[in-house]
Amino acid sequence: MNLIWFLMISFGIVVAIITGKTEIINQVIIKDSQEAVIFAIGLTGIMAFWLGLMNIAKKSGLINNLASLMKPITKLLFPDIPQNHPAISAIMMNMVANMFGAGNSATALGIKAMEELQGLNKNKAVATNAMCMFLVINMSSIQLIPLTVLKVRADTGSLMPTEIISTTILATAVSTIVGVVVCKLLEVRRR
Amino acid sequence: MTKYITYTSVFAIPIMITIILVHGYVKGVSMYDAFVEGAAEGFKTAIRIMPYLIAIFIAIGLMRGSGAIYYLVRGLRPITSLLGIPGEILPLALMKPISGSGSLAVLQDILVHNGPDSFVGRVASTMMGSSETIFYTMAVYYGTIGIKKSRHTIPSALVAHLAAILAAVFFCKILLSQ
């Protein structure tokens, strides 16, 4: 992350200087830092909502039920997470929200899952196997209705905006499977 | 088929909320207090992720604003054409892991120039829906909890991203090319 961040910043600045667009650097710093704060604040409301609901689910025991129901899958993907740990239910809810394109709700639940996983982590600065696996699944996760894509297609005059839903589901399934397999392989190698 | 998927999508979140609330009520949880207590956590998290968001937003902004992303795309073109990926969708394939809003602009551009119902348009649309913004997602999630070494996250995610691109080309070829 350190190297990537450094490369992105320096490459951007160098290109801006070479192409004579140095004033862009200032604009980006002002505009994007502000945008980041606005985004975080925008996330606060939906985050509070889902964490509030999850707290109800936790107290009622629903989360434990869900976790034991999902045991076979989670045992395979996340062998390091203890059974019935709250991380599992947060991961599951994030996946559901992701699949149905719930956007910021998914982000809120995902952050919650990450915090739970960090509680299990011995070395707080280094990602665990479970974190890598969760993120890879999250990034390539199946989205049933890619709403924004459908909107752009409709806006640009497509006769069949929805025809890409089937190909999207298939492609995303392939990428999730590949991601999980690669993640598992790299896990073993580095142990 | 599509119709049913749309229905489930619309109802998934309301159903999730209803189940949680009804279950809580049946079990006699003092729900109002539990909700407020949980919601308070949301604010702490939002403030904690802010510095990480600023870091990644500025890095992405500089890459995009300076045009550096387009040089990167040009540099990688020989590799992707070797893999049979249509040249027109290349900018999208490279932009998607970096920036969500940036890739949406690229998608729009591709659809306007090639037509949304062309082969390239379909591949681009499929790709957009089936891959994620890797670096952004990573910055938000790892940033929140202070992870500095991401280990095999990026390699796995990039391979999955490449698989999504190739699968998009493949499935559009066999399913949508009448």
Side-chain angles (χ1 to χ4, degrees):
Chain A
M1 203 61 216
N2 232 330
L3 179 70
I4 292 169
W5 191 72
F6 168 72
L7 286 178
M8 283 172 83
I9 298 258
S10 46
F11 190 39
I13 290 178
V14 168
V15 172
I17 291 171
I18 291 172
T19 53
K21 288 193 287 190
T22 18
E23 79 284 355
I24 273 276
I25 300 173
N26 255 323
Q27 283 173 25
V28 164
I29 292 170
I30 295 166
K31 202 180 102 263
D32 285 324
S33 55
Q34 191 181 3
E35 228 167 70
V37 174
I38 291 171
F39 176 82
I41 290 174
L43 202 61
T44 315
I46 190 77
M47 183 109 201
F49 173 76
W50 279 108
L51 292 184
L53 268 191
M54 273 191 76
N55 201 32
I56 296 176
K58 194 167 80 191
K59 295 214 160 137
S60 71
L62 183 64
I63 277 183
N64 278 336
N65 298 349
L66 189 74
S68 53
L69 203 73
M70 292 292 175
K71 212 179 267 176
I73 305 171
T74 49
K75 225 175 169 175
L76 188 74
L77 292 175
F78 308 102
D80 304 333
I81 306 179
Q83 304 298 329
N84 296 327
H85 191 272
I88 292 191
S89 50
I91 290 173
M92 289 301 145
M93 285 175 76
N94 165 267
M95 283 182 189
V96 173
N98 239 340
M99 274 170 82
F100 296 107
N104 283 351
S105 296
T107 310
L109 293 165
I111 288 172
K112 175 75 183 159
M114 274 295 172
E115 285 175 337
E116 295 290 352
L117 289 177
Q118 183 71 322
L120 295 167
N121 193 358
K122 289 191 190 74
N123 187 345
K124 301 291 179 204
V126 181
T128 60
N129 286 341
M131 288 175 184
C132 297
M133 181 59 83
F134 171 57
L135 257 199
V136 169
I137 293 174
N138 186 291
M139 287 168 183
S140 60
S141 90
I142 299 172
Q143 204 189 356
L144 294 182
I145 302 286
L147 274 180
T148 39
V149 177
L150 297 187
K151 185 168 184 314
V152 176
R153 286 178 63 77
D155 288 349
T156 50
S158 170
L159 297 173
M160 280 279 287
T162 53
E163 70 176 357
I164 52 102
I165 288 181
S166 58
T167 52
T168 302
I169 291 175
L170 289 169
T172 195
V174 168
S175 91
T176 306
I177 292 166
V178 169
V180 167
V181 170
V182 172
C183 199
K184 275 280 172 206
L185 289 178
L186 293 177
E187 233 173 60
V188 172
R189 208 194 64 193
R190 298 203 182 186
R191 211 168 255 166
Chain B
M1 179 66 186
T2 312
K3 211 171 72 189
Y4 294 115
I5 298 175
T6 314
Y7 280 139
T8 15
S9 271
V10 171
F11 288 113
I13 296 298
I15 287 173
M16 231 157 100
I17 296 171
T18 312
I19 290 174
I20 291 173
L21 290 180
V22 170
H23 191 265
Y25 184 78
V26 171
K27 295 280 171 178
V29 175
S30 59
M31 291 195 279
Y32 183 75
D33 298 328
F35 182 88
V36 173
E37 186 192 293
E41 255 184 77
F43 290 87
K44 286 182 223 148
T45 308
I47 289 178
R48 203 167 48 235
I49 63 173
M50 254 182 227
Y52 298 95
L53 286 175
I54 292 170
I56 197 73
F57 270 48
I58 286 181
I60 290 167
L62 281 176
M63 289 285 287
R64 199 167 61 212
S66 66
I69 273 183
Y70 291 96
Y71 292 104
L72 199 69
V73 169
R74 220 185 280 171
L76 285 167
R77 189 156 287 178
I79 304 169
T80 38
S81 58
L82 209 69
L83 291 164
I85 300 166
E88 294 94 328
I89 63 158
L90 201 53
L92 183 65
L94 292 172
M95 181 69 98
K96 191 76 217 263
I98 303 171
S99 160
S101 51
S103 53
L104 201 61
V106 176
L107 174 70
Q108 183 129 28
D109 186 64
I110 292 174
L111 295 190
V112 167
H113 285 102
N114 299 278
D117 297 327
S118 66
F119 177 66
V120 170
R122 285 163 172 165
V123 172
S125 310
T126 301
M127 239 179 64
M128 182 74 187
S130 60
S131 58
E132 249 293 356
T133 44
I134 296 170
F135 294 104
Y136 167 79
T137 310
M138 226 179 74
V140 173
Y141 283 155
Y142 281 164
T144 310
I145 55 170
I147 292 287
K148 293 193 173 58
K149 281 207 160 62
S150 60
R151 290 176 62 222
H152 52 283
T153 312
I154 293 179
S156 317
L158 285 179
V159 173
H161 179 64
L162 185 64
I165 298 167
L166 295 176
V169 174
F170 175 76
F171 288 120
C172 285
K173 216 169 245 174
I174 59 166
L175 291 176
L176 296 178
S177 58
Q178 314 85 0

